[in-house]
Amino acid sequence: MPPLLKLENVTKMYGTTVVLNDISLVLTDRARIGVVGTNGVGKSTLLNVVAGALPADSGTIWRKPGLRIGLLGQAPTLPTPDATLADLITFSLENVRALEARLRDLEIRMAASEVVNAAEPLATLLDEYASVTDLFERAGGYSVDNRAETLFRALSVDVLPHERPFALLSGGEKSRVALALLLLHAPDLLLLDEPTNHLDRSMLTWLENTLLTYAGAALIASHDREFLNRVVTGLAELDEHTHTARLYAGNYDDYREAKNLERRQWQETFAMQQAEMRRLKLQAAETARRNDNYRAESDGDKMAAKARKATHEATVSRRVRDSKMRLARLLDEAVEAPPHDLTFTATFSPERTAVGALITLSGVCKQYDGRTILDDVSLILDSRSRVALVGENGAGKTTLLRILAGNEKPDAGEVWHSHAARIGYLDQEQEMLNLNRGMFESDADGQPLFGLDEQAAKSFLLYYHLFRATDLNKRMNELSLGQRRKWQVARLMAMRANVLVLDEPTNHLSFDVLEGLEAALQDFPGAVIAATHDRRFLQVHRAWQGDVYRLTDGHLIRE
């Protein structure tokens, strides 16, 4: 199958920092390649380089002539700063409408060309008509209105007021609008940066089915393991240490199996090499001090004894030299020690684990703009609670979590917190982070933002492999979304909370941290309530025998 796009030895740097190193990749029609790697490794940079939004510093990028590329990850291009949703829809359809207008114009001109002495030859007009028709069909022009209706309904864009300025939409609404408009444009190559972050269960299923039948190709950066399992035909892993890319065939489970095998083989090779190095060092040391092949002569022949001793010393010297030479060669060809992954290996250590209820909600109600979000909601969290909170976008999950955490008051009902409850809250949109501060600066009251002094906080992050030493002096606005998420998780650990209130905790996290988080939560001796759309996280949660509650029409229903 002929390629749509080729990357050959592409390198991208920011200053003196190498982000992408000698990347080669081929995308063919209908290929669906996932891009995976730790947070901040360069997945978004790769998508932007492929799109042409960022220039490569070296290497070549070949794109099929006429290739139409669509990138999800940046805000849609706004015709005006105060553009409304209706403006964006009109703007996104300009190309299709222009092609349609050209077709109608050509049809009029072709009809006129049939008149005797027409100024334009019919053959020329027919060639142009065929070319424009091909462009119109590739853009989905004949079905664009029906597709727009389907897309907007599937992603709940149809319920948004079209006169509302795009800037006033929530983060999730902006993401869904951008995805809908991108798919409406129907590019030959989709570049999707974390497309599932703000999609509920029905939207996820719809997007998966759409991508499985998509006529073009897709390059998808995602941390959603179940999504990758169902959609991709291969995964390109960006290595955090070498910044190179390696392609793995199959889905996420195939990739994890291959990675686990590689890691075992790497560890075995490293262990064998280290054992051989120790053996050669010991052999050289023992040979130098042992005297096994030399015995004093009993006949008193001093000349013979001296000769034999010299022979012995030469033999010892040769053996020691041989051992050292073999050791030197081994050191030159040494296998690097397997790197420590940025793994969340912590066990949460609550300051106090209470007996009985930690938080109780009774008859809680909440309304926004006359719309009931929570209606007579009651819930008890004790030290053994494991609760997953599910529901459609806008169902009120975040509102309920904010009320549980004490960050928002209900309109009616009671919220009771035990004096022993120490609540750690992880917000979804990272709105509680002050991006203008350093990672370890103090707040206005002089309290450390991380809960520890700077040196202790840095040691904490390094101990759990959540950050590399080179990242510790960055300011919050210099961190990627995933790095900020890891900072939030680490802060929860450091504050020794015994109630964890987590709003979409798997968003923006790489697989190593994600799987470490799941393991840590399983052993956590306090209460956990997490709002999530992550299907793999829910599978793990159910394996813990945790409770699942669905929030729908303001009511909390146990599944």
Side-chain angles (χ1 to χ4, degrees), residues 105-156:
D105 178 64
L106 285 167
E107 289 167 355
I108 294 171
R109 288 157 60 189
M110 285 189 297
S113 71
E114 295 178 354
V115 180
V116 178
N117 298 324
E120 295 180 288
L122 180 60
T124 301
L125 291 172
L126 285 171
D127 287 343
E128 183 180 356
Y129 189 81
S131 176
V132 176
T133 298
D134 180 62
L135 292 173
F136 187 66
E137 289 177 345
R138 285 173 54 195
Y142 290 113
S143 61
V144 68
D145 292 321
N146 288 335
R147 286 193 303 110
E149 182 180 350
T150 300
L151 284 166
F152 294 166
R153 183 173 61 251
L155 295 171
S156 295

Side-chain angles (χ1 to χ4, degrees), residues 117-326:
N117 298 324
E120 295 180 288
L122 180 60
T124 301
L125 291 172
L126 285 171
D127 287 343
E128 183 180 356
Y129 189 81
S131 176
V132 176
T133 298
D134 180 62
L135 292 173
F136 187 66
E137 289 177 345
R138 285 173 54 195
Y142 290 113
S143 61
V144 68
D145 292 321
N146 288 335
R147 286 193 303 110
E149 182 180 350
T150 300
L151 284 166
F152 294 166
R153 183 173 61 251
L155 295 171
S156 295
V157 174
D158 58 335
V159 300
L160 299 175
H162 284 202
E163 69 279 4
R164 180 179 296 173
F166 181 78
L168 297 183
L169 299 178
S170 70
E173 289 169 342
K174 288 177 181 177
S175 294
R176 299 201 309 277
V177 167
L179 178 59
L181 295 181
L182 177 63
L183 293 173
L184 183 61
H185 185 60
D188 304 312
L189 174 58
L190 289 169
L191 304 176
L192 307 178
D193 199 349
E194 299 293 351
T196 68
N197 273 357
H198 296 284
L199 303 185
D200 58 33
R201 185 164 55 183
S202 62
M203 293 175 186
L204 273 170
T205 301
W206 175 86
L207 178 60
E208 288 166 353
N209 292 333
T210 298
L211 292 176
L212 287 172
T213 58
Y214 193 72
L219 191 63
I220 309 165
S222 177
H223 292 133
D224 188 324
R225 294 161 290 177
E226 198 63 27
F227 175 77
L228 293 173
N229 245 3
R230 299 185 183 195
V231 169
V232 303
T233 57
L235 284 100
E237 180 192 52
L238 298 182
D239 186 272
E240 66 171 315
H241 303 284
T242 64
H243 302 286
T244 56
R246 181 174 177 183
L247 187 64
Y248 293 82
N251 60 16
Y252 172 78
D253 284 344
D254 298 323
Y255 158 78
R256 290 306 303 170
E257 184 177 348
K259 290 295 292 181
N260 289 337
L261 177 60
E262 284 179 12
R263 185 62 179 244
R264 288 195 300 270
Q265 292 173 338
W266 190 352
Q267 290 171 333
E268 289 170 3
T269 301
F270 179 75
M272 291 172 59
Q273 190 176 72
Q274 291 298 304
E276 179 65 6
M277 288 180 181
R278 290 192 296 270
R279 189 188 69 79
L280 289 172
K281 290 177 183 178
L282 181 61
Q283 177 178 294
E286 288 185 345
T287 301
R289 71 172 181 266
R290 290 174 61 184
N291 196 20
D292 290 348
N293 73 331
Y294 173 74
R295 296 187 299 275
E297 298 298 324
S298 59
D299 59 6
D301 188 338
K302 293 182 178 180
M303 291 294 291
K306 186 175 182 180
R308 288 187 176 89
K309 184 175 183 180
T311 300
H312 166 71
E313 289 175 349
T315 300
V316 170
S317 178
R318 176 175 54 79
R319 289 177 177 173
V320 171
R321 185 170 61 253
D322 287 348
S323 294
K324 289 183 176 179
M325 289 177 63
R326 289 168 62 191

